PDB file of all heavy atoms in Angstrom:
ATOM      1  N   ILE A   1    -107.589  26.835  73.022  1.00 55.00           N
ATOM      2  CA  ILE A   1    -107.130  27.499  71.801  1.00 55.00           C
ATOM      3  C   ILE A   1    -107.451  26.654  70.583  1.00 55.00           C
ATOM      4  O   ILE A   1    -107.897  27.149  69.549  1.00 55.00           O
ATOM      5  CB  ILE A   1    -105.614  27.789  71.886  1.00 55.00           C
ATOM      6  CG1 ILE A   1    -105.340  28.803  72.990  1.00 55.00           C
ATOM      7  CG2 ILE A   1    -105.080  28.286  70.539  1.00 55.00           C
ATOM      8  CD1 ILE A   1    -103.878  29.040  73.276  1.00 55.00           C
ATOM      9  N   GLU A   2    -107.233  25.322  70.722  1.00 50.00           N
ATOM     10  CA  GLU A   2    -107.514  24.420  69.602  1.00 50.00           C
ATOM     11  C   GLU A   2    -109.001  24.441  69.232  1.00 50.00           C
ATOM     12  O   GLU A   2    -109.369  24.472  68.048  1.00 50.00           O
ATOM     13  CB  GLU A   2    -107.094  22.993  69.978  1.00 50.00           C
ATOM     14  CG  GLU A   2    -107.241  21.994  68.840  1.00 50.00           C
ATOM     15  CD  GLU A   2    -106.776  20.612  69.244  1.00 50.00           C
ATOM     16  OE1 GLU A   2    -106.142  20.481  70.311  1.00 50.00           O
ATOM     17  OE2 GLU A   2    -107.029  19.658  68.486  1.00 50.00           O
ATOM     18  N   LYS A   3    -109.872  24.453  70.246  1.00 57.00           N
ATOM     19  CA  LYS A   3    -111.305  24.485  69.987  1.00 57.00           C
ATOM     20  C   LYS A   3    -111.719  25.812  69.340  1.00 57.00           C
ATOM     21  O   LYS A   3    -112.559  25.845  68.436  1.00 57.00           O
ATOM     22  CB  LYS A   3    -112.083  24.279  71.297  1.00 57.00           C
ATOM     23  CG  LYS A   3    -111.999  22.863  71.833  1.00 57.00           C
ATOM     24  CD  LYS A   3    -112.779  22.715  73.122  1.00 57.00           C
ATOM     25  CE  LYS A   3    -112.702  21.287  73.653  1.00 57.00           C
ATOM     26  NZ  LYS A   3    -113.420  21.137  74.938  1.00 57.00           N
ATOM     27  N   ILE A   4    -111.116  26.912  69.817  1.00 63.00           N
ATOM     28  CA  ILE A   4    -111.441  28.223  69.248  1.00 63.00           C
ATOM     29  C   ILE A   4    -111.036  28.285  67.784  1.00 63.00           C
ATOM     30  O   ILE A   4    -111.789  28.751  66.925  1.00 63.00           O
ATOM     31  CB  ILE A   4    -110.743  29.337  70.053  1.00 63.00           C
ATOM     32  CG1 ILE A   4    -111.364  29.436  71.458  1.00 63.00           C
ATOM     33  CG2 ILE A   4    -110.859  30.674  69.334  1.00 63.00           C
ATOM     34  CD1 ILE A   4    -110.612  30.345  72.394  1.00 63.00           C
ATOM     35  N   LEU A   5    -109.828  27.756  67.482  1.00 53.00           N
ATOM     36  CA  LEU A   5    -109.371  27.740  66.093  1.00 53.00           C
ATOM     37  C   LEU A   5    -110.268  26.871  65.227  1.00 53.00           C
ATOM     38  O   LEU A   5    -110.582  27.207  64.079  1.00 53.00           O
ATOM     39  CB  LEU A   5    -107.924  27.221  66.031  1.00 53.00           C
ATOM     40  CG  LEU A   5    -106.849  28.176  66.594  1.00 53.00           C
ATOM     41  CD1 LEU A   5    -105.491  27.487  66.583  1.00 53.00           C
ATOM     42  CD2 LEU A   5    -106.804  29.463  65.786  1.00 53.00           C
ATOM     43  N   GLU A   6    -110.702  25.721  65.796  1.00 54.00           N
ATOM     44  CA  GLU A   6    -111.587  24.826  65.044  1.00 54.00           C
ATOM     45  C   GLU A   6    -112.911  25.503  64.720  1.00 54.00           C
ATOM     46  O   GLU A   6    -113.438  25.388  63.608  1.00 54.00           O
ATOM     47  CB  GLU A   6    -111.839  23.552  65.863  1.00 54.00           C
ATOM     48  CG  GLU A   6    -112.668  22.514  65.127  1.00 54.00           C
ATOM     49  CD  GLU A   6    -112.878  21.269  65.964  1.00 54.00           C
ATOM     50  OE1 GLU A   6    -112.211  21.133  67.009  1.00 54.00           O
ATOM     51  OE2 GLU A   6    -113.698  20.435  65.578  1.00 54.00           O
ATOM     52  N   LYS A   7    -113.451  26.264  65.697  1.00 60.00           N
ATOM     53  CA  LYS A   7    -114.706  26.981  65.460  1.00 60.00           C
ATOM     54  C   LYS A   7    -114.525  28.061  64.399  1.00 60.00           C
ATOM     55  O   LYS A   7    -115.401  28.280  63.563  1.00 60.00           O
ATOM     56  CB  LYS A   7    -115.197  27.606  66.769  1.00 60.00           C
ATOM     57  CG  LYS A   7    -115.771  26.601  67.752  1.00 60.00           C
ATOM     58  CD  LYS A   7    -116.303  27.294  68.988  1.00 60.00           C
ATOM     59  CE  LYS A   7    -116.915  26.293  69.964  1.00 60.00           C
ATOM     60  NZ  LYS A   7    -117.429  26.947  71.186  1.00 60.00           N
ATOM     61  N   ILE A   8    -113.361  28.730  64.453  1.00 59.00           N
ATOM     62  CA  ILE A   8    -113.105  29.791  63.473  1.00 59.00           C
ATOM     63  C   ILE A   8    -113.029  29.217  62.067  1.00 59.00           C
ATOM     64  O   ILE A   8    -113.608  29.753  61.120  1.00 59.00           O
ATOM     65  CB  ILE A   8    -111.790  30.535  63.828  1.00 59.00           C
ATOM     66  CG1 ILE A   8    -111.969  31.316  65.131  1.00 59.00           C
ATOM     67  CG2 ILE A   8    -111.383  31.469  62.695  1.00 59.00           C
ATOM     68  CD1 ILE A   8    -110.696  31.930  65.660  1.00 59.00           C
ATOM     69  N   VAL A   9    -112.314  28.081  61.936  1.00 50.00           N
ATOM     70  CA  VAL A   9    -112.185  27.443  60.624  1.00 50.00           C
ATOM     71  C   VAL A   9    -113.538  26.963  60.122  1.00 50.00           C
ATOM     72  O   VAL A   9    -113.908  27.145  58.955  1.00 50.00           O
ATOM     73  CB  VAL A   9    -111.185  26.267  60.695  1.00 50.00           C
ATOM     74  CG1 VAL A   9    -111.193  25.484  59.380  1.00 50.00           C
ATOM     75  CG2 VAL A   9    -109.790  26.781  60.980  1.00 50.00           C
ATOM     76  N   THR A  10    -114.321  26.334  61.029  1.00 50.00           N
ATOM     77  CA  THR A  10    -115.651  25.843  60.647  1.00 50.00           C
ATOM     78  C   THR A  10    -116.549  26.987  60.203  1.00 50.00           C
ATOM     79  O   THR A  10    -117.283  26.884  59.214  1.00 50.00           O
ATOM     80  CB  THR A  10    -116.306  25.109  61.830  1.00 50.00           C
ATOM     81  OG1 THR A  10    -115.440  24.060  62.248  1.00 50.00           O
ATOM     82  CG2 THR A  10    -117.640  24.510  61.426  1.00 50.00           C
ATOM     83  N   LYS A  11    -116.466  28.095  60.957  1.00 52.00           N
ATOM     84  CA  LYS A  11    -117.285  29.254  60.624  1.00 52.00           C
ATOM     85  C   LYS A  11    -116.879  29.827  59.274  1.00 52.00           C
ATOM     86  O   LYS A  11    -117.722  30.265  58.476  1.00 52.00           O
ATOM     87  CB  LYS A  11    -117.108  30.321  61.714  1.00 52.00           C
ATOM     88  CG  LYS A  11    -118.111  31.454  61.641  1.00 52.00           C
ATOM     89  CD  LYS A  11    -119.478  30.994  62.063  1.00 52.00           C
ATOM     90  CE  LYS A  11    -120.470  32.130  62.108  1.00 52.00           C
ATOM     91  NZ  LYS A  11    -121.819  31.699  62.455  1.00 52.00           N
ATOM     92  N   ALA A  12    -115.561  29.789  59.008  1.00 49.00           N
ATOM     93  CA  ALA A  12    -115.072  30.341  57.749  1.00 49.00           C
ATOM     94  C   ALA A  12    -115.515  29.508  56.555  1.00 49.00           C
ATOM     95  O   ALA A  12    -115.750  30.026  55.466  1.00 49.00           O
ATOM     96  CB  ALA A  12    -113.549  30.427  57.788  1.00 49.00           C
ATOM     97  N   LEU A  13    -115.632  28.182  56.781  1.00 44.00           N
ATOM     98  CA  LEU A  13    -116.019  27.293  55.690  1.00 44.00           C
ATOM     99  C   LEU A  13    -117.522  27.173  55.525  1.00 44.00           C
ATOM    100  O   LEU A  13    -118.007  26.618  54.549  1.00 44.00           O
ATOM    101  CB  LEU A  13    -115.424  25.900  55.920  1.00 44.00           C
ATOM    102  CG  LEU A  13    -113.891  25.824  55.880  1.00 44.00           C
ATOM    103  CD1 LEU A  13    -113.440  24.413  56.204  1.00 44.00           C
ATOM    104  CD2 LEU A  13    -113.353  26.265  54.527  1.00 44.00           C
ATOM    105  N   THR A  14    -118.292  27.673  56.508  1.00 46.00           N
ATOM    106  CA  THR A  14    -119.754  27.592  56.437  1.00 46.00           C
ATOM    107  C   THR A  14    -120.279  28.739  55.576  1.00 46.00           C
ATOM    108  O   THR A  14    -119.792  29.863  55.682  1.00 46.00           O
ATOM    109  CB  THR A  14    -120.355  27.711  57.852  1.00 46.00           C
ATOM    110  OG1 THR A  14    -119.805  26.661  58.642  1.00 46.00           O
ATOM    111  CG2 THR A  14    -121.871  27.551  57.809  1.00 46.00           C
ATOM    112  N   PRO A  15    -121.267  28.471  54.721  1.00 46.00           N
ATOM    113  CA  PRO A  15    -121.831  29.553  53.905  1.00 46.00           C
ATOM    114  C   PRO A  15    -122.327  30.694  54.784  1.00 46.00           C
ATOM    115  O   PRO A  15    -123.019  30.471  55.770  1.00 46.00           O
ATOM    116  CB  PRO A  15    -122.995  28.870  53.181  1.00 46.00           C
ATOM    117  CG  PRO A  15    -122.637  27.439  53.166  1.00 46.00           C
ATOM    118  CD  PRO A  15    -121.873  27.181  54.422  1.00 46.00           C
ATOM    119  N   ILE A  16    -121.946  31.927  54.423  1.00 39.00           N
ATOM    120  CA  ILE A  16    -122.268  33.077  55.269  1.00 39.00           C
ATOM    121  C   ILE A  16    -123.588  33.710  54.872  1.00 39.00           C
ATOM    122  O   ILE A  16    -124.432  34.001  55.708  1.00 39.00           O
ATOM    123  CB  ILE A  16    -121.127  34.117  55.185  1.00 39.00           C
ATOM    124  CG1 ILE A  16    -119.826  33.470  55.686  1.00 39.00           C
ATOM    125  CG2 ILE A  16    -121.450  35.351  55.992  1.00 39.00           C
ATOM    126  CD1 ILE A  16    -118.610  34.342  55.499  1.00 39.00           C
ATOM    127  N   SER A  17    -123.789  33.930  53.603  1.00 42.00           N
ATOM    128  CA  SER A  17    -124.991  34.628  53.168  1.00 42.00           C
ATOM    129  C   SER A  17    -126.208  33.721  53.188  1.00 42.00           C
ATOM    130  O   SER A  17    -126.090  32.502  53.146  1.00 42.00           O
ATOM    131  CB  SER A  17    -124.789  35.165  51.747  1.00 42.00           C
ATOM    132  OG  SER A  17    -124.690  34.083  50.842  1.00 42.00           O
ATOM    133  N   THR A  18    -127.380  34.327  53.255  1.00 41.00           N
ATOM    134  CA  THR A  18    -128.631  33.569  53.251  1.00 41.00           C
ATOM    135  C   THR A  18    -128.787  32.787  51.971  1.00 41.00           C
ATOM    136  O   THR A  18    -129.235  31.634  51.968  1.00 41.00           O
ATOM    137  CB  THR A  18    -129.821  34.530  53.425  1.00 41.00           C
ATOM    138  OG1 THR A  18    -129.619  35.316  54.582  1.00 41.00           O
ATOM    139  CG2 THR A  18    -131.119  33.761  53.552  1.00 41.00           C
ATOM    140  N   VAL A  19    -128.394  33.402  50.847  1.00 41.00           N
ATOM    141  CA  VAL A  19    -128.529  32.742  49.552  1.00 41.00           C
ATOM    142  C   VAL A  19    -127.665  31.494  49.492  1.00 41.00           C
ATOM    143  O   VAL A  19    -128.103  30.421  49.075  1.00 41.00           O
ATOM    144  CB  VAL A  19    -128.139  33.714  48.415  1.00 41.00           C
ATOM    145  CG1 VAL A  19    -128.161  32.997  47.077  1.00 41.00           C
ATOM    146  CG2 VAL A  19    -129.089  34.906  48.398  1.00 41.00           C
ATOM    147  N   SER A  20    -126.397  31.616  49.947  1.00 40.00           N
ATOM    148  CA  SER A  20    -125.498  30.463  49.895  1.00 40.00           C
ATOM    149  C   SER A  20    -125.967  29.359  50.821  1.00 40.00           C
ATOM    150  O   SER A  20    -125.795  28.179  50.540  1.00 40.00           O
ATOM    151  CB  SER A  20    -124.075  30.888  50.257  1.00 40.00           C
ATOM    152  OG  SER A  20    -124.037  31.447  51.554  1.00 40.00           O
ATOM    153  N   LYS A  21    -126.569  29.723  51.977  1.00 46.00           N
ATOM    154  CA  LYS A  21    -127.109  28.712  52.881  1.00 46.00           C
ATOM    155  C   LYS A  21    -128.236  27.937  52.225  1.00 46.00           C
ATOM    156  O   LYS A  21    -128.322  26.711  52.334  1.00 46.00           O
ATOM    157  CB  LYS A  21    -127.615  29.371  54.168  1.00 46.00           C
ATOM    158  CG  LYS A  21    -126.510  29.785  55.117  1.00 46.00           C
ATOM    159  CD  LYS A  21    -127.095  30.392  56.380  1.00 46.00           C
ATOM    160  CE  LYS A  21    -125.990  30.811  57.342  1.00 46.00           C
ATOM    161  NZ  LYS A  21    -126.534  31.408  58.573  1.00 46.00           N
ATOM    162  N   LYS A  22    -129.117  28.649  51.527  1.00 44.00           N
ATOM    163  CA  LYS A  22    -130.226  27.983  50.849  1.00 44.00           C
ATOM    164  C   LYS A  22    -129.719  27.064  49.754  1.00 44.00           C
ATOM    165  O   LYS A  22    -130.204  25.942  49.582  1.00 44.00           O
ATOM    166  CB  LYS A  22    -131.171  29.032  50.258  1.00 44.00           C
ATOM    167  CG  LYS A  22    -131.993  29.777  51.305  1.00 44.00           C
ATOM    168  CD  LYS A  22    -132.926  30.768  50.650  1.00 44.00           C
ATOM    169  CE  LYS A  22    -133.777  31.499  51.696  1.00 44.00           C
ATOM    170  NZ  LYS A  22    -134.662  32.488  51.073  1.00 44.00           N
ATOM    171  N   LEU A  23    -128.707  27.544  49.015  1.00 38.00           N
ATOM    172  CA  LEU A  23    -128.143  26.712  47.947  1.00 38.00           C
ATOM    173  C   LEU A  23    -127.490  25.470  48.513  1.00 38.00           C
ATOM    174  O   LEU A  23    -127.614  24.372  47.961  1.00 38.00           O
ATOM    175  CB  LEU A  23    -127.116  27.531  47.153  1.00 38.00           C
ATOM    176  CG  LEU A  23    -127.694  28.642  46.259  1.00 38.00           C
ATOM    177  CD1 LEU A  23    -126.573  29.448  45.639  1.00 38.00           C
ATOM    178  CD2 LEU A  23    -128.587  28.042  45.170  1.00 38.00           C
ATOM    179  N   ALA A  24    -126.776  25.636  49.649  1.00 45.00           N
ATOM    180  CA  ALA A  24    -126.125  24.475  50.267  1.00 45.00           C
ATOM    181  C   ALA A  24    -127.155  23.469  50.730  1.00 45.00           C
ATOM    182  O   ALA A  24    -126.976  22.259  50.589  1.00 45.00           O
ATOM    183  CB  ALA A  24    -125.269  24.941  51.459  1.00 45.00           C
ATOM    184  N   LYS A  25    -128.271  23.967  51.294  1.00 48.00           N
ATOM    185  CA  LYS A  25    -129.336  23.066  51.757  1.00 48.00           C
ATOM    186  C   LYS A  25    -129.954  22.320  50.588  1.00 48.00           C
ATOM    187  O   LYS A  25    -130.214  21.117  50.654  1.00 48.00           O
ATOM    188  CB  LYS A  25    -130.390  23.880  52.503  1.00 48.00           C
ATOM    189  CG  LYS A  25    -131.454  23.021  53.173  1.00 48.00           C
ATOM    190  CD  LYS A  25    -132.389  23.877  53.989  1.00 48.00           C
ATOM    191  CE  LYS A  25    -133.439  23.022  54.672  1.00 48.00           C
ATOM    192  NZ  LYS A  25    -134.368  23.833  55.470  1.00 48.00           N
ATOM    193  N   LYS A  26    -130.192  23.037  49.474  1.00 46.00           N
ATOM    194  CA  LYS A  26    -130.778  22.405  48.305  1.00 46.00           C
ATOM    195  C   LYS A  26    -129.849  21.344  47.726  1.00 46.00           C
ATOM    196  O   LYS A  26    -130.263  20.265  47.324  1.00 46.00           O
ATOM    197  CB  LYS A  26    -131.093  23.456  47.246  1.00 46.00           C
ATOM    198  CG  LYS A  26    -132.291  24.338  47.590  1.00 46.00           C
ATOM    199  CD  LYS A  26    -132.555  25.338  46.492  1.00 46.00           C
ATOM    200  CE  LYS A  26    -133.771  26.221  46.838  1.00 46.00           C
ATOM    201  NZ  LYS A  26    -134.008  27.225  45.791  1.00 46.00           N
ATOM    202  N   ASP A  27    -128.542  21.654  47.680  1.00 47.00           N
ATOM    203  CA  ASP A  27    -127.574  20.690  47.155  1.00 47.00           C
ATOM    204  C   ASP A  27    -127.543  19.436  48.017  1.00 47.00           C
ATOM    205  O   ASP A  27    -127.464  18.324  47.514  1.00 47.00           O
ATOM    206  CB  ASP A  27    -126.169  21.313  47.123  1.00 47.00           C
ATOM    207  CG  ASP A  27    -126.065  22.388  46.036  1.00 47.00           C
ATOM    208  OD1 ASP A  27    -126.907  22.353  45.112  1.00 47.00           O
ATOM    209  OD2 ASP A  27    -125.166  23.240  46.122  1.00 47.00           O
ATOM    210  N   SER A  28    -127.630  19.630  49.355  1.00 49.00           N
ATOM    211  CA  SER A  28    -127.650  18.475  50.248  1.00 49.00           C
ATOM    212  C   SER A  28    -128.880  17.614  49.998  1.00 49.00           C
ATOM    213  O   SER A  28    -128.806  16.387  49.966  1.00 49.00           O
ATOM    214  CB  SER A  28    -127.620  18.959  51.706  1.00 49.00           C
ATOM    215  OG  SER A  28    -127.727  17.879  52.585  1.00 49.00           O
ATOM    216  N   GLN A  29    -130.033  18.275  49.811  1.00 46.00           N
ATOM    217  CA  GLN A  29    -131.264  17.520  49.552  1.00 46.00           C
ATOM    218  C   GLN A  29    -131.173  16.783  48.222  1.00 46.00           C
ATOM    219  O   GLN A  29    -131.630  15.646  48.101  1.00 46.00           O
ATOM    220  CB  GLN A  29    -132.453  18.477  49.543  1.00 46.00           C
ATOM    221  CG  GLN A  29    -132.805  19.015  50.926  1.00 46.00           C
ATOM    222  CD  GLN A  29    -133.912  20.035  50.872  1.00 46.00           C
ATOM    223  OE1 GLN A  29    -134.249  20.552  49.815  1.00 46.00           O
ATOM    224  NE2 GLN A  29    -134.481  20.341  52.026  1.00 46.00           N
ATOM    225  N   ARG A  30    -130.553  17.432  47.231  1.00 45.00           N
ATOM    226  CA  ARG A  30    -130.415  16.772  45.939  1.00 45.00           C
ATOM    227  C   ARG A  30    -129.553  15.516  46.061  1.00 45.00           C
ATOM    228  O   ARG A  30    -129.816  14.491  45.425  1.00 45.00           O
ATOM    229  CB  ARG A  30    -129.770  17.736  44.935  1.00 45.00           C
ATOM    230  CG  ARG A  30    -130.696  18.848  44.482  1.00 45.00           C
ATOM    231  CD  ARG A  30    -130.136  19.536  43.262  1.00 45.00           C
ATOM    232  NE  ARG A  30    -130.805  20.786  43.024  1.00 45.00           N
ATOM    233  CZ  ARG A  30    -130.298  21.974  43.316  1.00 45.00           C
ATOM    234  NH1 ARG A  30    -129.100  22.060  43.866  1.00 45.00           N
ATOM    235  NH2 ARG A  30    -130.970  23.075  43.062  1.00 45.00           N
ATOM    236  N   ASP A  31    -128.499  15.599  46.881  1.00 52.00           N
ATOM    237  CA  ASP A  31    -127.639  14.421  47.069  1.00 52.00           C
ATOM    238  C   ASP A  31    -128.422  13.270  47.671  1.00 52.00           C
ATOM    239  O   ASP A  31    -128.265  12.118  47.278  1.00 52.00           O
ATOM    240  CB  ASP A  31    -126.454  14.784  47.978  1.00 52.00           C
ATOM    241  CG  ASP A  31    -125.494  15.742  47.278  1.00 52.00           C
ATOM    242  OD1 ASP A  31    -125.530  15.792  46.035  1.00 52.00           O
ATOM    243  OD2 ASP A  31    -124.731  16.436  47.976  1.00 52.00           O
ATOM    244  N   TRP A  32    -129.288  13.584  48.661  1.00 47.00           N
ATOM    245  CA  TRP A  32    -130.125  12.541  49.261  1.00 47.00           C
ATOM    246  C   TRP A  32    -131.061  11.943  48.208  1.00 47.00           C
ATOM    247  O   TRP A  32    -131.209  10.730  48.112  1.00 47.00           O
ATOM    248  CB  TRP A  32    -130.958  13.134  50.403  1.00 47.00           C
ATOM    249  CG  TRP A  32    -130.197  13.269  51.684  1.00 47.00           C
ATOM    250  CD1 TRP A  32    -129.514  14.354  52.123  1.00 47.00           C
ATOM    251  CD2 TRP A  32    -130.036  12.281  52.696  1.00 47.00           C
ATOM    252  NE1 TRP A  32    -128.941  14.101  53.331  1.00 47.00           N
ATOM    253  CE2 TRP A  32    -129.254  12.846  53.714  1.00 47.00           C
ATOM    254  CE3 TRP A  32    -130.489  10.969  52.856  1.00 47.00           C
ATOM    255  CZ2 TRP A  32    -128.902  12.154  54.856  1.00 47.00           C
ATOM    256  CZ3 TRP A  32    -130.145  10.286  54.004  1.00 47.00           C
ATOM    257  CH2 TRP A  32    -129.360  10.871  54.980  1.00 47.00           C
ATOM    258  N   LEU A  33    -131.693  12.820  47.420  1.00 47.00           N
ATOM    259  CA  LEU A  33    -132.659  12.336  46.442  1.00 47.00           C
ATOM    260  C   LEU A  33    -131.989  11.518  45.339  1.00 47.00           C
ATOM    261  O   LEU A  33    -132.577  10.584  44.808  1.00 47.00           O
ATOM    262  CB  LEU A  33    -133.402  13.532  45.831  1.00 47.00           C
ATOM    263  CG  LEU A  33    -134.341  14.277  46.792  1.00 47.00           C
ATOM    264  CD1 LEU A  33    -134.877  15.532  46.128  1.00 47.00           C
ATOM    265  CD2 LEU A  33    -135.494  13.379  47.237  1.00 47.00           C
ATOM    266  N   LYS A  34    -130.760  11.885  44.998  1.00 47.00           N
ATOM    267  CA  LYS A  34    -130.046  11.141  43.978  1.00 47.00           C
ATOM    268  C   LYS A  34    -129.836   9.692  44.403  1.00 47.00           C
ATOM    269  O   LYS A  34    -129.752   8.786  43.585  1.00 47.00           O
ATOM    270  CB  LYS A  34    -128.685  11.801  43.706  1.00 47.00           C
ATOM    271  CG  LYS A  34    -128.784  13.057  42.854  1.00 47.00           C
ATOM    272  CD  LYS A  34    -127.412  13.675  42.674  1.00 47.00           C
ATOM    273  CE  LYS A  34    -127.508  14.989  41.900  1.00 47.00           C
ATOM    274  NZ  LYS A  34    -126.194  15.649  41.784  1.00 47.00           N
ATOM    275  N   GLU A  35    -129.728   9.476  45.696  1.00 64.00           N
ATOM    276  CA  GLU A  35    -129.510   8.122  46.185  1.00 64.00           C
ATOM    277  C   GLU A  35    -130.799   7.306  46.183  1.00 64.00           C
ATOM    278  O   GLU A  35    -130.770   6.115  46.458  1.00 64.00           O
ATOM    279  CB  GLU A  35    -128.924   8.173  47.600  1.00 64.00           C
ATOM    280  CG  GLU A  35    -127.522   8.769  47.643  1.00 64.00           C
ATOM    281  CD  GLU A  35    -126.879   8.564  48.992  1.00 64.00           C
ATOM    282  OE1 GLU A  35    -127.050   7.476  49.579  1.00 64.00           O
ATOM    283  OE2 GLU A  35    -126.208   9.489  49.479  1.00 64.00           O
ATOM    284  N   ASN A  36    -131.938   7.935  45.896  1.00 80.00           N
ATOM    285  CA  ASN A  36    -133.216   7.224  45.811  1.00 80.00           C
ATOM    286  C   ASN A  36    -133.460   6.409  47.082  1.00 80.00           C
ATOM    287  O   ASN A  36    -133.577   5.181  47.053  1.00 80.00           O
ATOM    288  CB  ASN A  36    -133.215   6.316  44.571  1.00 80.00           C
ATOM    289  CG  ASN A  36    -134.604   5.814  44.233  1.00 80.00           C
ATOM    290  OD1 ASN A  36    -135.601   6.282  44.774  1.00 80.00           O
ATOM    291  ND2 ASN A  36    -134.666   4.845  43.339  1.00 80.00           N
ATOM    292  N   LEU A  37    -133.548   7.115  48.194  1.00 88.00           N
ATOM    293  CA  LEU A  37    -133.663   6.458  49.497  1.00 88.00           C
ATOM    294  C   LEU A  37    -135.004   5.763  49.674  1.00 88.00           C
ATOM    295  O   LEU A  37    -136.042   6.293  49.291  1.00 88.00           O
ATOM    296  CB  LEU A  37    -133.489   7.482  50.616  1.00 88.00           C
ATOM    297  CG  LEU A  37    -132.120   8.140  50.749  1.00 88.00           C
ATOM    298  CD1 LEU A  37    -132.139   9.112  51.901  1.00 88.00           C
ATOM    299  CD2 LEU A  37    -131.039   7.110  50.953  1.00 88.00           C
ATOM    300  N   LYS A  38    -134.937   4.589  50.292  1.00 89.00           N
ATOM    301  CA  LYS A  38    -136.144   3.842  50.662  1.00 89.00           C
ATOM    302  C   LYS A  38    -135.959   3.351  52.090  1.00 89.00           C
ATOM    303  O   LYS A  38    -134.954   2.730  52.418  1.00 89.00           O
ATOM    304  CB  LYS A  38    -136.359   2.658  49.714  1.00 89.00           C
ATOM    305  CG  LYS A  38    -136.608   3.056  48.261  1.00 89.00           C
ATOM    306  CD  LYS A  38    -136.777   1.835  47.378  1.00 89.00           C
ATOM    307  CE  LYS A  38    -137.072   2.242  45.937  1.00 89.00           C
ATOM    308  NZ  LYS A  38    -135.912   2.903  45.304  1.00 89.00           N
ATOM    309  N   VAL A  39    -136.964   3.634  52.912  1.00 91.00           N
ATOM    310  CA  VAL A  39    -136.902   3.277  54.328  1.00 91.00           C
ATOM    311  C   VAL A  39    -137.733   2.028  54.580  1.00 91.00           C
ATOM    312  O   VAL A  39    -138.900   1.952  54.164  1.00 91.00           O
ATOM    313  CB  VAL A  39    -137.412   4.442  55.212  1.00 91.00           C
ATOM    314  CG1 VAL A  39    -137.309   4.064  56.682  1.00 91.00           C
ATOM    315  CG2 VAL A  39    -136.616   5.701  54.935  1.00 91.00           C
TER     316      VAL A  39
END
């Protein structure tokens, strides 16, 4: 039950629409780039 509830909450907090998913991905990439990563 705890795992099912956790999945439901995670699913609810995850962007649902295609547009929001793309925006979330872009924001994540921007955060990486802001840190000016060097390997």
Side-chain angles (χ1 to χ4, degrees):
I1 294 173
E2 185 178 348
K3 289 180 180 178
I4 291 171
L5 289 175
E6 184 179 349
K7 286 183 178 179
I8 292 172
V9 172
T10 303
K11 192 72 175 177
L13 295 177
T14 302
I16 299 173
S17 67
T18 306
V19 175
S20 59
K21 284 182 180 180
K22 288 181 179 179
L23 289 175
K25 187 175 181 180
K26 287 181 180 178
D27 289 340
S28 176
Q29 289 176 345
R30 287 194 195 103
D31 291 339
W32 279 93
L33 292 173
K34 283 178 184 177
E35 294 191 40
N36 194 11
L37 294 180
K38 297 179 178 68
V39 181

